[in-house]
Amino acid sequence: MRKRDGCRLFSFNCPVFFATFSATLSQKQVIEMNAKVTDIFINLPVKDLEKSNVFFRKMGFEFNQDYCDSKGCCLVLADHIYAKLLVEDFFAGFTKAGITDTAKDNEVILSIAVDSPETMEDMMEARLEAGGKDRTSPLLPEEEGMMQYYRLEDLDGHLWEITYMNTTESLP
């Protein structure tokens, strides 16, 4: 993970990131929680598993075939970070709450950081060609210069940000 001003970007020890959690968790709780995490799995409901697989493959992502069947498939985002794309009926069995209607509301924005502005541009172009919709909004003035991003809506209405962090700029 890249370092800037003595902290890892988006790490629990970074003051910018930690400030987000300070209202609900003590620093000790955050550090203890971080020490136990070995993998991240994001479960997302999808309407059409086959179309979703094609959509993400067009961007260069791979799936762990050991964890794919007619109910879901495991999208590999990075080492130890996965999105489990689950058919809506199967996903609904895990919760008593309903599935968010992404045409009206958002349940989450998934953000992935890439290594260069060119990679960010290539991924966004591929997602648009695969049927995604551009939902990018202007950056806040304090974010300009240190960050570039695109926000995209996938085939099921989930929002994904493709982000490049400029490590030569200072954090606010």
Side-chain angles (χ1 to χ4, degrees):
M1 191 161 297
R2 295 186 188 112
K3 290 191 173 200
R4 179 187 351 212
D5 297 333
C7 68
R8 293 179 306 178
L9 290 176
F10 301 110
S11 98
F12 286 101
N13 297 321
C14 182
V16 173
F17 186 81
F18 185 72
T20 306
F21 291 91
S22 63
T24 56
L25 298 174
S26 71
Q27 185 172 8
K28 182 180 179 196
Q29 288 171 312
V30 171
I31 291 170
E32 286 174 0
M33 181 179 69
N34 188 34
K36 296 177 186 176
V37 175
T38 59
D39 297 288
I40 296 173
F41 293 91
I42 302 160
N43 295 291
L44 294 174
V46 298
K47 290 173 181 43
D48 186 316
L49 185 59
E50 187 175 328
K51 285 183 181 177
S52 293
N53 285 353
V54 169
F55 178 80
F56 286 102
R57 285 184 195 282
K58 285 185 177 180
M59 266 125 349
F61 286 107
E62 295 181 7
F63 289 86
N64 182 335
Q65 294 302 317
D66 292 337
Y67 301 100
C68 289
D69 61 21
S70 62
K71 297 177 195 169
C73 212
C74 184
L75 173 67
V76 179
L77 297 170
D79 290 342
H80 306 286
I81 303 173
Y82 312 92
K84 291 166 46 181
L85 307 179
L86 305 173
V87 175
E88 285 184 340
D89 289 343
F90 184 63
F91 180 92
F94 291 102
T95 177
K96 292 180 182 176
I99 295 174
T100 301
D101 180 352
T102 55
K104 297 183 211 173
D105 300 302
N106 297 114
E107 78 272 87
V108 69
I109 298 174
L110 305 156
S111 185
I112 56 175
V114 296
D115 60 354
S116 71
E118 295 78 22
T119 300
M120 182 186 67
E121 297 282 342
D122 290 346
M123 287 183 77
M124 184 61 176
E125 185 176 313
R127 285 182 174 205
L128 291 172
E129 289 174 5
K133 297 176 185 168
D134 188 346
R135 297 291 186 230
T136 307
S137 57
L139 290 169
L140 298 172
E142 60 269 18
E143 295 173 319
E144 290 181 14
M146 73 171 216
M147 177 179 162
Q148 298 174 40
Y149 89 108
Y150 287 109
R151 183 175 294 146
L152 169 106
E153 182 180 309
D154 70 15
L155 300 177
D156 292 288
H158 305 295
L159 294 180
W160 293 79
E161 288 181 347
I162 307 166
T163 308
Y164 171 72
M165 299 297 289
N166 184 345
T167 58
T168 61
E169 295 291 324
S170 303
L171 286 170

